[in-house]
Amino acid sequence: MSAVIHWPLPYVETLAPRALAAIDLIVLHCTELPDLASAREYGERVLYPGGGGNSGHYYIDRDGRSYRFVSEDRVAHHTRGYNERSIGIELVNRGRWPHWLDSRHQDMTEAYSEAQIDALRELLSALRAALPSLHGIAGHEDLDHERVPASDDARISVWRKRDPGPRFPWDWALHDLPLQRLRPATTQD
């Protein structure tokens, strides 16, 4: 596996510890930010009384470089209701940035790079080998089905989370990997 750069968040020691055997799920995200520096800045923000913020465990930049912000034995805050059992992997991608909830800007047009998907496949393979209880994978959009008022017109609702989005190549990313995708309960338009 290509080297993963360890770049722990400043508050990582305040995150709840967990047993590695508790991890059975990977949740894939896209940063919905312009670059890795913006994602890092966002991840460093302390948002909770205990001293933590919102962050995935791993980040994969467009050039395929992989970074670990939070170790697997800590609970990162990346997907409501699934944090205790999952590892969050963020792919640097603009998504809907900077109009996340604007009803006129819900298309996610940036493709994921070949280097990103190759690095993701390597990471998934290594995590699966290291964590015997790891069997499932989902997109954030598969697990968070909340609709919220659009920022441009509160009478319209939009999906709160759409990542990794319609441009994510699930078949390519999961080809020959022993991970079962959790299918979405609803479809997103």
Side-chain angles (χ1 to χ4, degrees):
M1 181 169 115
S2 301
V4 173
I5 300 163
H6 296 264
W7 193 12
L9 291 168
Y11 57 74
V12 75
E13 293 302 318
T14 69
L15 298 173
R18 66 174 171 190
L20 295 179
I23 302 167
D24 69 349
L25 178 66
I26 296 284
V27 181
L28 295 180
H29 304 266
C30 79
T31 58
E32 292 207 77
L33 293 166
D35 52 34
L36 181 66
S38 299
R40 178 66 187 200
E41 180 182 309
Y42 182 79
E44 288 181 353
R45 294 179 190 167
V46 174
L47 303 172
Y48 304 111
N54 290 334
S55 169
H57 292 84
Y58 289 92
Y59 285 70
I60 302 175
D61 209 346
R62 291 176 180 94
D63 63 4
R65 283 184 284 178
S66 300
Y67 300 84
R68 188 172 83 174
F69 284 15
V70 177
S71 61
E72 294 90 355
D73 64 352
R74 296 287 176 165
V75 176
H77 300 282
H78 59 93
T79 307
R80 290 189 280 182
Y82 293 88
N83 294 323
E84 291 78 17
R85 63 182 275 209
S86 67
I87 291 176
I89 300 176
E90 297 267 0
L91 300 165
V92 175
N93 184 292
R94 290 178 182 274
R96 300 173 291 174
W97 180 84
H99 308 288
W100 301 279
L101 301 178
D102 187 311
S103 68
R104 300 162 298 182
H105 299 281
Q106 292 300 295
D107 290 336
M108 299 172 77
T109 59
E110 182 181 351
Y112 292 91
S113 73
E114 185 174 330
Q116 270 182 315
I117 301 305
D118 287 346
L120 173 63
R121 286 181 50 75
E122 283 188 50
L123 178 59
L124 292 174
S125 182
L127 288 170
R128 180 64 182 93
L131 303 167
S133 58
L134 180 61
H135 296 289
I137 190 166
H140 198 177
E141 65 197 344
D142 297 334
L143 306 174
D144 187 333
H145 303 122
E146 183 180 354
R147 292 185 71 96
V148 296
S151 60
D152 61 306
D153 184 344
R155 296 169 299 173
I156 300 171
S157 70
V158 296
W159 294 105
R160 191 176 86 84
K161 296 296 178 182
R162 295 204 60 195
D163 57 310
R167 305 266 325 208
F168 184 75
W170 282 102
D171 290 341
W172 175 22
L174 297 182
H175 181 72
D176 290 338
L177 289 174
L179 293 169
Q180 178 65 42
R181 181 168 180 209
L182 301 181
R183 303 308 287 179
T186 62
T187 57
Q188 296 187 6
D189 13 56

